[in-house]
Amino acid sequence: MLSLPKEFVFGGATAAYQVEGATTEDGKGPVCWDVFLKEQGRFSPDPASDFYHEYPTDLALSKEYGVDAIRVSIAWTRIFPNGTGELNKKGVAYYHALFAECLKNGITPYVTLHHFDTPLNLHQNGDWLNPKTIDAFVAYADFCFAEFGSQVKKWITINEPASIAFGQYVVGNFPPNIQYDLPKAIQAMHNQMVAHAKVVNLFKEKDYTGEIGIVHILESYYPAEDAVENLAAANTCNVLYNQFMLDAIYKGYYDNDTMFVINEILKQNDGKLTILPMDLTELAKAAKQIDFLGLNYYQSHFVQPFHGESYIHHNGTGEKGTAVFRLNGVGERIYNPAIPKTDWDWVIYPKGLYDMMLYIKNRYPNYQKIYVTENGLGDKDQVVNGEVLDQSRIDYVAIHLKAIEQAISSGIEVKGYFIWSLQDMFSWTNGYNKRYGLFYVDFDSQKRIPKKSAQWWKELSESTKKG
C-alpha cells in the first residue's frame, strides 16, 4: 500500500508536438521535425492525439480520473512562426483557451517553453550551437511570461537538454541526424544550460509570479561488474549524462571532478568546449534562483569501458534485444538478464530512481524540491471488448511510486509525479506503435478510452488526498 503526502501532485505529462497535431493550422510555423519526418516518410505527427481540438475532452477526463496537474508545452512556432519577429495571434489565443480550460477543471498547468521543437530556421542555422538561438529563446520566454503569467504559475525552461544534444549529434535519431559527434553534443548541452540560466534570471529580475525550473532526463549508471575499470566507466557516464548539467544548474559552474571527465572525453574525440566568462556569470546567478528540478526517469544502465569504433542501434520497433550502445571513450551498456526490460530494451529498475534522487540531495543540497516530471511504461496496448487492461503499466508505475515514497521517507523533497503520458500520443522515434497513456486514443477516430490504469490512478489519487 502506497503512502504519499496529502499535498502530493498527481500529474499527467504531454508535449505540444506529440499531442497537438495541427502542425500547419492557424498560422503555426515549421519546426525542425517537420522536414525530418517528411524525409524519413515513416510516420506523421498529424493528427497525433489532436489535442489542439480535443483538449477539453482530455482535461475533463483528467478531472474525472484524479489528474490534478498537467505538463503541457507551448509550441514556439504557434507563437512566433519564424522563431522571432511576427507574432501569431491565433496561437496566443489557443494557449489562453487551453490554460483557461485547465483552471476551469481545477488542473494546474506546468508549462514547458521548449520540448524538442526548435523553429525550423533557427535549427537550420545551428540550433543550440548558435548563440542567436539563445537570444531568440530568451525573447520568446519573456513574451510567454508576460502574456500567460496570470494563468500559469509553474514554468519549465527546457525539457531534457541531454536528449536533444545526444539525439541530434550522437544517437542520430533527432534532426539533423548526426552520429558520434560528442564535442557537438557537449557544446549543445552547455549552451542550453546558458539559455536556461538566462531565462531563469530574466524571470526573477522582472519579478514574474510563480516558480521556474528545468526538466532533465536522469539515469543512474552502475558498473556491469564490480571491477575498478567498470566503476570508472560508470562515473564517466554519470558525469557526461547527469553531473555536467546538474553542476550547471545547482553549482553555477562545472566542478573540477566534472571537467576532468569532460576534458578526457573531448580529448579522445578531438574536440573542445567553449565556455565564455559571461556564461559562468549567468549560471552562477541562476543557480541561486531556480525553484525546482523536474526529473524524467525511465531506466538505468550497467556499463563497462569501451574504446573503439562507436556503434549505437536504437530499438525503435519494439523488437526486444536489438538495442546496442557503444560509445568511444565513454562506455558500453551491458544488459543484466536478471533485470526485466521493456520491449524497447528499457531496463525496469526503480532503485535507479531512488539512487538518483539521493545523489541529488547529497551533491546539491540547495536543490529545494523535485518533481518526477516523466515516468511510465511504453507498451503495445490493445482494446479487447472495449477495454484496455494494462496491468503491466499499473505494476510499473506502482514500483516507481514506491521508490518515491522511500525517497520522501529519506528526507528527499519530492513533491509530485507526472505519468508519461496523459493520453496515447505520437512518439518522436516510434510513431504510434508505442503507447504510454492513461487514456487510449484511437488515432483514426480520436475516441478516448480510459484504461484500467486510469481507474487505478483515480483511486490512488483520491485515497492519497483523503489521507
Side-chain angles (χ1 to χ4, degrees):
M1 187 70 180
L2 287 164
S3 178
L4 296 164
K6 279 187 180 183
E7 66 277 10
F8 192 80
V9 174
F10 284 84
T14 73
Y17 198 77
Q18 294 182 262
V19 295
E20 286 181 356
T23 58
T24 60
E25 193 167 331
D26 288 337
K28 183 179 186 295
V31 304
C32 56
W33 285 91
D34 294 333
V35 173
F36 182 66
L37 291 170
K38 189 174 181 179
E39 288 174 349
Q40 286 185 324
R42 289 192 296 155
F43 34 70
S44 168
D46 284 310
S49 316
D50 198 25
F51 191 68
Y52 191 72
H53 303 103
E54 294 289 340
Y55 69 85
T57 300
D58 288 331
L59 291 170
L61 284 169
S62 297
K63 181 179 180 180
E64 181 181 353
Y65 284 92
V67 178
D68 48 41
I70 182 173
R71 271 194 72 199
V72 296
S73 67
I74 293 174
W76 187 342
T77 60
R78 283 204 195 281
I79 306 298
F80 296 103
N82 295 310
T84 60
E86 184 181 357
L87 178 70
N88 178 26
K89 293 182 180 179
K90 288 185 177 180
V92 174
Y94 166 71
Y95 287 110
H96 274 304
L98 170 60
F99 301 146
E101 192 72 16
C102 288
L103 299 175
K104 185 181 86 173
N105 284 279
I107 296 168
T108 303
Y110 286 63
V111 178
T112 306
L113 292 165
H114 185 280
H115 196 125
F116 296 177
D117 52 350
T118 301
L120 179 62
N121 66 320
L122 295 176
H123 174 77
Q124 290 175 333
N125 285 291
D127 209 329
W128 292 110
L129 294 175
N130 187 340
K132 290 183 179 179
T133 300
I134 299 175
D135 296 337
F137 180 63
V138 173
Y140 151 66
D142 194 17
F143 173 85
C144 291
F145 297 149
E147 181 70 29
F148 304 116
S150 64
Q151 297 169 299
V152 177
K153 305 302 180 187
K154 304 285 188 181
W155 292 97
I156 294 161
T157 55
I158 303 173
N159 178 79
E160 296 189 7
S163 293
I164 296 170
F166 277 80
Q168 289 182 331
Y169 304 119
V170 179
V171 181
N173 55 356
F174 282 27
N177 195 30
I178 294 169
Q179 284 193 302
Y180 316 133
D181 194 333
L182 276 161
K184 272 194 174 69
I186 291 169
Q187 188 69 59
M189 286 193 288
H190 167 72
N191 289 1
Q192 286 177 87
M193 293 302 91
V194 174
H196 154 79
K198 285 187 172 185
V199 169
V200 168
N201 293 335
L202 177 146
F203 185 86
K204 298 298 183 178
E205 285 163 9
K206 292 200 170 184
D207 200 26
Y208 289 116
T209 58
E211 296 183 333
I212 189 165
I214 190 170
V215 166
H216 281 303
I217 181 81
L218 299 172
E219 301 171 337
S220 294
Y221 287 86
Y222 304 94
E225 294 177 351
D226 193 12
V228 172
E229 60 270 21
N230 292 352
L231 286 165
N235 180 63
T236 295
C237 290
N238 177 60
V239 169
L240 177 61
Y241 296 108
N242 302 320
Q243 189 169 299
F244 179 61
M245 287 185 294
L246 288 172
D247 272 10
I249 67 167
Y250 282 129
K251 288 179 177 285
Y253 60 90
Y254 303 112
D255 220 338
N256 291 336
D257 60 334
T258 301
M259 286 313 302
F260 176 81
V261 171
I262 293 298
N263 286 330
E264 283 297 307
I265 294 170
L266 289 169
K267 181 180 177 181
Q268 293 187 55
N269 289 273
D270 300 318
K272 65 176 183 177
L273 171 62
T274 299
I275 301 175
L276 302 177
M278 66 184 72
D279 295 349
L280 295 175
T281 301
E282 295 285 353
L283 291 177
K285 196 172 181 181
K288 299 173 184 176
Q289 304 191 90
I290 184 172
D291 295 306
F292 65 87
L293 170 67
L295 193 167
N296 290 358
Y297 178 83
Y298 293 98
Q299 62 172 329
S300 291
H301 302 288
F302 297 82
V303 297
Q304 65 186 18
F306 183 77
H307 299 279
E309 186 174 353
S310 296
Y311 178 71
I312 297 172
H313 175 75
H314 170 71
N315 176 2
T317 60
E319 185 182 350
K320 189 176 283 190
T322 58
V324 180
F325 194 100
R326 304 185 192 107
L327 202 51
N328 179 47
V330 177
E332 178 179 10
R333 296 175 185 174
I334 303 297
Y335 290 104
N336 184 337
I339 299 174
K341 58 183 179 179
T342 72
D343 286 349
W344 284 268
D345 292 320
W346 292 20
V347 173
I348 301 173
Y349 199 64
K351 183 179 184 298
L353 174 58
Y354 173 82
D355 288 345
M356 177 52 64
M357 291 189 287
L358 186 62
Y359 163 78
I360 291 167
K361 178 178 182 287
N362 291 336
R363 184 174 174 93
Y364 309 103
N366 60 321
Y367 75 98
Q368 293 198 46
K369 58 185 173 183
I370 296 170
Y371 294 94
V372 176
T373 39
E374 287 183 29
N375 175 252
L377 178 68
D379 213 345
K380 301 167 183 175
D381 299 338
Q382 294 183 334
V383 180
V384 179
N385 298 324
E387 296 181 308
V388 181
L389 303 179
D390 57 339
Q391 185 63 45
S392 57
R393 179 166 294 107
I394 295 170
D395 295 341
Y396 178 98
V397 173
I399 59 176
H400 286 84
L401 283 171
K402 197 71 181 173
I404 292 171
E405 179 188 70
Q406 181 188 2
I408 294 171
S409 297
S410 300
I412 302 169
E413 296 291 332
V414 190
K415 298 300 184 181
Y417 175 96
F418 290 72
I419 188 169
W420 186 269
S421 53
L422 181 68
Q423 72 279 71
D424 291 340
M425 60 178 67
F426 167 79
S427 177
W428 308 98
T429 61
N430 304 95
Y432 297 96
N433 68 341
K434 189 181 188 183
R435 294 175 178 268
Y436 280 92
L438 290 174
F439 310 132
Y440 183 93
V441 176
D442 181 320
F443 293 110
D444 293 322
S445 68
Q446 291 299 324
K447 179 183 178 182
R448 269 62 167 160
I449 301 173
K451 302 177 187 178
K452 183 180 180 180
S453 58
Q455 183 60 41
W456 173 82
W457 180 272
K458 173 183 172 72
E459 293 167 2
L460 177 62
S461 176
E462 291 177 351
S463 64
T464 299
K465 285 167 178 53
K466 288 176 183 176

